[in-house]
Amino acid sequence: MCKKVFDPELYNAKQTPLDHVKVFISKKLPELGWGQTQKKEIVMDVGCGPGKNTIQLILPLFPQAEKIFAIDFLPNMIEFARIHNCHPHIEYNVANIENWSMIEQWKGQISKLISIHCIHWLKDKRRGLQNIFQLLKPGGEVAFCFLMSSPIFPVTLKLESDPKWSKFFKDVDNMVPDTYINKHESSRYIKMMEDIGFDILYCEEGEKADPYSSDKEYRDFFASLCALGSHVPSDQREEFIDEGFQEMLKLNGRDSSGQPVHRANITQVVARKRDIQNSKSF
């Protein structure tokens, strides 16, 4: 199985973070006390991608942060982030949250941990959440925003099974997460977190709509997230991406001004690390 291949430049193409992400980080988290302390916090961004959310949203939320460790398991994302979204308080590292040996250096050090659109990609979500638990200080908190369903998943599956394209995808990981394939409900992951030792402070699930300023921007968004695209021969790739983009438009439509809109079912969770003496063992 191949690793997912996301293009950091396309992934970073939208000049501002997604609307629902901005509201979650810049409004909801401060309401829950995030960024309201004068303490020198140690913050982590898990699945930081090209670093746009890290520098535009997470850094302003924590003006007193001693350090923000931003990790992603894709080296090309971290390389892009170090060049284009660098800051003295942000340290970008290649690391997989499911691999304890890659992150154990931060055990018990993190006071706040944010993960935006990463948790649903994990192959072993329980292991990833257990590792996150171990990274936190006692009383440390996490904030997750992850997809339960998105039009990109059925579009990817449709393209993968299309006879015109399927010959290019033998033994290829389509990167459609099990949250969608198995129709899991968010309650499954809330219970998983509680079993590990988290107290849930906030949880919301529902459709979020994010507008795009142009067809090109939305098309680039699809191209950045469809892992199959890199396996299509270069002379046919534009046709492949265009077909996927048209399918996305069919499912999502446009807003009243005619601009494309992306709609997805998103779960947002904020939780605190419970006293480990009261937590179930791993």
Side-chain angles (χ1 to χ4, degrees):
M1 298 291 254
C2 75
K3 288 185 177 180
K4 57 184 174 184
V5 180
F6 294 156
D7 185 322
E9 292 192 20
L10 291 178
Y11 200 80
N12 197 62
K14 197 175 191 303
Q15 294 304 306
T16 60
L18 295 172
D19 285 4
H20 75 270
V21 176
K22 286 191 289 186
V23 170
F24 182 56
I25 295 179
S26 301
K27 293 184 178 180
K28 177 52 65 176
L29 292 185
E31 289 176 7
L32 296 171
W34 286 48
Q36 307 302 303
T37 179
Q38 295 301 308
K39 295 180 180 179
K40 295 288 185 180
E41 297 199 87
I42 304 294
V43 180
M44 178 171 282
D45 180 8
V46 174
C48 65
K52 180 168 57 181
N53 289 332
T54 316
I55 198 164
Q56 291 189 28
L57 295 178
I58 297 175
L59 181 66
L61 179 60
F62 294 102
Q64 303 297 326
E66 181 178 335
K67 180 68 72 174
I68 297 175
F69 294 106
I71 68 172
D72 199 285
F73 91 108
L74 295 174
N76 62 334
M77 289 291 187
I78 294 300
E79 181 181 2
F80 185 95
R82 286 171 175 167
I83 295 171
H84 298 282
N85 291 311
C86 60
H87 188 277
H89 288 167
I90 302 174
E91 180 181 315
Y92 292 103
N93 292 274
V94 177
N96 182 352
I97 196 65
E98 294 175 88
N99 186 339
W100 181 245
S101 66
M102 299 182 76
I103 58 175
E104 61 181 338
Q105 60 185 303
W106 299 298
K107 181 179 181 180
Q109 298 181 33
I110 308 302
S111 54
K112 296 287 192 299
L113 185 146
I114 300 179
S115 184
I116 302 296
H117 293 174
C118 172
I119 298 299
H120 55 268
W121 292 120
L122 301 184
K123 297 297 186 183
D124 187 343
K125 293 179 178 58
R126 180 175 294 276
R127 174 53 56 191
L129 292 170
Q130 288 172 341
N131 287 347
I132 286 171
F133 184 86
Q134 293 189 80
L135 292 177
L136 292 173
K137 293 180 175 180
E141 294 181 2
V142 298
F144 298 145
C145 179
F146 58 93
L147 293 171
M148 299 307 298
S149 65
S150 166
I152 196 161
F153 303 150
V155 169
T156 296
L157 293 174
K158 182 175 182 179
L159 290 169
E160 183 183 35
S161 62
D162 188 327
K164 181 165 65 171
W165 306 113
S166 60
K167 58 181 177 286
F168 301 123
F169 308 136
K170 294 179 180 178
D171 300 320
V172 166
D173 189 343
N174 59 30
M175 294 312 301
V176 175
D178 62 349
T179 50
Y180 178 79
I181 296 291
N182 298 318
K183 308 302 180 188
H184 288 161
E185 297 183 356
S186 58
S187 57
R188 175 190 182 94
Y189 302 105
I190 299 303
K191 184 178 187 306
M192 190 180 294
M193 291 179 67
E194 290 175 330
D195 287 347
I196 288 168
F198 289 101
D199 289 324
I200 307 301
L201 306 178
Y202 168 83
C203 181
E204 178 184 84
E205 180 183 354
E207 183 181 271
K208 304 293 183 183
D210 295 291
Y212 281 76
S213 63
S214 67
D215 281 16
K216 181 184 184 304
E217 186 180 64
Y218 192 46
R219 187 179 184 278
D220 286 347
F221 166 77
F222 170 75
S224 73
L225 286 179
C226 183
L228 300 177
S230 61
H231 300 278
V232 176
S234 57
D235 62 338
Q236 296 176 262
R237 195 168 298 154
E238 289 301 306
E239 179 186 1
F240 174 80
I241 295 301
D242 192 57
E243 284 193 18
F245 167 64
Q246 294 301 327
E247 290 296 326
M248 292 281 283
L249 283 179
K250 288 178 185 177
L251 292 174
N252 280 294
R254 299 177 182 273
D255 63 17
S256 58
S257 64
Q259 300 299 343
V261 178
H262 184 74
R263 296 179 175 88
N265 187 3
I266 303 217
T267 294
Q268 298 174 341
V269 181
V270 180
R272 180 180 296 128
K273 180 176 182 175
R274 194 183 309 141
D275 185 333
I276 197 167
Q277 292 182 346
N278 297 321
S279 302
K280 295 184 180 180
S281 63
F282 300 159

